[in-house]
Amino acid sequence: MKYRELTKEQFFELHQEFSKFLATQQIDAKEWNTIKKENPAMAEEELNIFSDVVWEDVLTKTNYLEHTSENDINLFKCNSKEIIRIYIKLNDTSKSFLNSVDFDWFLKNPLDDSIEYFKAAKKCTIERNLEIFKLIELGSQISKGELFEKISQLID
């Protein structure tokens, strides 16, 4: 398995896509139920293959990631051969990026002296989608990139 198996919730949300996936392998609902009962290893393998297909599709379409913690924000722009990272550090410990009022303050005052910015690019040392997957597994979330682009323009 290249990534990880989807969660039960993710499979539930993708049940129609999973049915289509099974249909491409000439497996109907009745046969799927038989496979699950009589050959759980094969059923597990089908779930793993489907999970990898879904992850590959999602990761290929992913261009931006964000990871926000109390005093730090990591923004990532994922190009084909490199990942550009903007790191934002909040030095005012009385504020938190996780607090919506403080986050709004940050958006309105991005040049405040209590905020530091760092920007760097890293070539993908492994396959791009695996790099993105690792960032997601570490807590990053897929985003539209609005904050990345805004901050990038601000600090460039």
Side-chain angles (χ1 to χ4, degrees):
M1 176 158 218
K2 188 172 182 179
Y3 301 108
R4 73 164 162 76
E5 190 169 288
L6 298 172
T7 64
K8 287 183 182 188
E9 294 80 12
Q10 290 167 326
F11 274 117
F12 180 76
E13 289 295 320
L14 296 169
H15 70 278
Q16 289 181 324
E17 289 82 354
F18 185 62
S19 295
K20 291 176 187 173
F21 168 79
L22 290 175
T24 64
Q25 299 182 41
Q26 288 82 36
I27 299 173
D28 61 19
K30 182 180 175 187
E31 188 175 351
W32 176 242
N33 287 328
T34 302
I35 291 170
K36 287 192 298 186
K37 287 178 189 166
E38 296 177 8
N39 194 345
M42 182 179 170
E44 186 70 23
E45 182 62 23
E46 292 297 328
L47 294 172
N48 289 345
I49 292 169
F50 178 73
S51 294
D52 277 348
V53 167
V54 170
W55 274 113
E56 196 67 36
D57 184 52
V58 168
L59 296 169
T60 297
K61 293 175 182 173
T62 298
N63 294 314
Y64 295 94
L65 297 169
E66 294 181 6
H67 186 271
T68 304
S69 61
E70 200 163 323
N71 298 107
D72 309 280
I73 299 176
N74 281 285
L75 305 171
F76 302 95
K77 182 175 183 177
C78 308
N79 296 322
S80 62
K81 304 227 186 284
E82 71 176 0
I83 296 177
I84 301 166
R85 175 185 179 204
I86 296 175
Y87 173 70
I88 306 166
K89 180 168 181 57
L90 178 62
N91 292 315
D92 181 349
T93 56
S94 69
K95 291 184 171 38
S96 168
F97 286 130
L98 299 177
N99 176 307
S100 61
V101 172
D102 292 343
F103 192 83
D104 288 342
W105 169 86
F106 157 67
L107 293 176
K108 291 174 185 161
N109 302 283
L111 297 175
D112 189 88
D113 289 342
S114 66
I115 303 167
E116 291 181 73
Y117 298 93
F118 305 93
K119 186 174 182 180
K122 174 186 173 250
K123 290 197 183 314
C124 294
T125 55
I126 56 175
E127 183 185 327
R128 174 196 182 271
N129 288 357
L130 283 171
E131 296 258 13
I132 295 170
F133 181 75
K134 284 182 178 185
L135 290 169
I136 290 171
E137 291 292 283
L138 291 170
S140 294
Q141 297 181 343
I142 297 169
S143 75
K144 294 180 181 173
E146 294 160 349
L147 186 57
F148 180 97
E149 293 300 333
K150 180 180 178 180
I151 298 300
S152 185
Q153 289 175 358
L154 181 72
I155 63 176
D156 280 345

